[in-house]
């Protein structure tokens, strides 16, 4: 199961760092590619040479290696990893990870990592029991990181109790279990729409809107991080994702509908966050329209509502989630759409909230379920909003 898995092993300043040598050996023996990041504190307990020899890769100790002049790109390292393991995690690194402090390569890679992160604390009994350490652990767990709990035993200080890093064999077992258990949405298929649609008037002009696609991409990425297989049908956007998404690019509402009709049967969860044009030109001119008369009337027809179409087709095993972007009587309109389109959840954005809406990096949402129970969220980054949305959907899965 570990064969060809890319693993970053962070080693911090703790006497337990001597066990990292065995850990690297076990991981490499199981077929994993291991790259070690050693903090300055860690280097007091184990040499880079030992870890480099065992991992068969140079050991990373700082952003910039003075001798070689090589810059260690934390973002690249973070993206390379399938799993990040911090073992031992010292109380100091634990606190940095919990607060987003990033004063060394290890914490920078942690912040850049897009993979599951497992941490195995090692510290003295009283440090372990301290309220701030426990609060930091709670924080890390709330971010989705996985704790490999320390065991009881004799500690380097001579004290007896909790704080001893888990044994390398147990850490490998924990990692194997994590891989096999997978993530909450492993094996689930999700369909997400994002971005605007462009309705062609002639070969050079179109009717569009200001949707950036940021919200839909953030939702698709969050689902992918939860282990789902995500199909993202997106209108024209500058957004990109480094995650593995089955991306289908479309331009018009009709193309988005066709793609969704083709994909929706496979999906167990569908989130329609695209800002689909409600109207499209009755005809599209094949040549550029010349400005001849002083007035110009464009005849439009309604597009098909993709969300409502899927609402009619969906089965009991499918969850359908829509958005409502409103400027007045927000809650009434949202509830009306929830019923009319046969949705399980509706996410209301109000353009009256500063910081919400198109092109922004933040959003403020209210979610209604079928029983009209509402959950109001604060203004947050779209990445955090995506997490809130996925958490609400997870409750229905
Ligand atoms: N939607 C859709 N297809 C359309 C129009 C809208 O799938 N042709 C979806 C959007 O992706 C969103 C939801 O419907 O999830 C609500 O979109 P919104 O523009 O707020 O509402 P409309 O249904 O278009 O109603 P109105 O414009 O009257 O507010």
């Amino acid at each position: 199961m570990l064969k060809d898995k890319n693993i970053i092993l962070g080693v911090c300043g703790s006497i337990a760092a001597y066990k990292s040598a065995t850990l690297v050996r076990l991981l490499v023996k199981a077929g994993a590619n291991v790259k070690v990041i050693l903090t300055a504190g860690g280097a007091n307990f184990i040499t880079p040479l030992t870890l480099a020899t065992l991992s068969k890769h140079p050991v990373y100790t700082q952003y910039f290696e003075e001798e070689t002049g090589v810059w260690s790109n934390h973002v690249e390292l973070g993206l390379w990893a399938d799993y990040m393991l911090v073992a031992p995690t010292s109380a100091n690194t634990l606190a940095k990870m919990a607060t987003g402090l990033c004063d060394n390569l290890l914490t920078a890679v942690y912040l850049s990592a897009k993979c599951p992160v497992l941490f195995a604390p090692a510290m003295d009994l009283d440090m372990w029991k301290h309220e701030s350490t426990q609060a930091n652990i709670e924080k890390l767990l709330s971010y989705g990181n996985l704790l490999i709990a320390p065991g009881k035993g004799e500690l380097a200080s001579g004290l007896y109790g909790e704080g001893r890093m888990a044994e390398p064999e147990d850490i490998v077992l924990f990692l194997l279990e994590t891989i096999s258990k997978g993530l909450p949405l492993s094996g689930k298929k999700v369909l997400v729409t994002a971005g605007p649609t462009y309705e062609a008037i002639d070969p050079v002009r179109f009717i569009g809107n200001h949707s950036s696609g940021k919200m839909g991409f953030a939702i698709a990425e969050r689902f992918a991080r939860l282990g789902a297989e995500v199909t993202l049908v997106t209108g024209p956007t500058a957004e990109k994702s480094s995650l593995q998404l089955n991306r289908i690019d479309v331009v018009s509402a009709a193309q988005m509908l066709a793609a969704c009709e083709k994909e929706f049967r496979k999906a167990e969860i569908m989130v329609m966050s695209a800002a689909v044009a409600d109207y499209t030109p009755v005809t599209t001119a094949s040549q550029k329209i010349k400005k001849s008369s002083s007035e110009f009337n464009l005849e439009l027809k309604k597009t098909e509502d993709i969300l409502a179409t899927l609402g009619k087709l969906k089965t009991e095993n499918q969850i359908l989630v829509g958005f409502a972007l409103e400027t007045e009587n927000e809650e009434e309109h949202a509830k009306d759409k929830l019923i009319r389109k046969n949705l399980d959840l509706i996410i209301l954005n109000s353009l009256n909230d500063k910081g919400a809406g198109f092109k922004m990096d933040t959003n403020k949402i209210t979610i209604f379920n079928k029983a009209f129970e509402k959950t109001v969220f604060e203004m947050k980054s779209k990445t955090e909003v995506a997490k809130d949305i996925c958490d609400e959907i997870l409750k229905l899965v």
Side-chain angles (χ1 to χ4, degrees), residues 129-201:
K129 282 207 286 192
H130 198 283
E131 274 182 4
S132 55
T133 304
Q134 291 303 316
N136 287 335
I137 286 175
E138 282 306 314
K139 258 197 186 172
L140 286 188
L141 292 174
S142 78
Y143 303 152
N145 299 322
L146 301 164
L147 166 70
I148 307 176
K152 268 189 187 165
E154 198 175 316
L155 302 164
S157 60
L159 291 173
Y160 182 89
E162 251 178 314
R164 238 175 107 105
M165 186 177 87
E167 293 305 321
E169 291 76 9
D170 295 329
I171 294 177
V172 173
L173 272 182
F174 191 102
L175 181 60
L176 287 171
E177 263 173 40
T178 307
I179 297 172
S180 67
K181 253 196 276 161
L183 295 153
L185 290 178
S186 288
K188 295 252 182 251
K189 294 196 169 63
V190 175
L191 174 65
V192 179
T193 63
T197 63
Y198 288 177
E199 309 302 315
I201 298 169

Side-chain angles (χ1 to χ4, degrees), residues 193-200 207-209 233-236 250-261 274-281 301-307 309:
T193 63
T197 63
Y198 288 177
E199 309 302 315
I207 302 172
N209 60 64
V233 180
T234 178
V250 296
V251 177
S252 66
Q255 289 171 356
M256 189 172 274
L257 173 69
C260 288
E261 282 182 325
V276 187
D278 288 329
Y279 290 91
T280 189
K301 62 177 182 198
K302 249 191 181 166
T303 56
E304 197 170 324
D305 190 315
I306 303 168
L307 184 61
T309 305

Side-chain angles (χ1 to χ4, degrees), residues 44-66:
N44 290 325
F45 293 93
I46 187 160
T47 67
L49 184 62
T50 306
L51 295 168
T53 310
L54 291 169
S55 68
K56 303 185 178 83
H57 283 288
V59 166
Y60 300 84
T61 51
Q62 48 200 350
Y63 289 106
F64 185 73
E65 302 294 340
E66 272 164 33

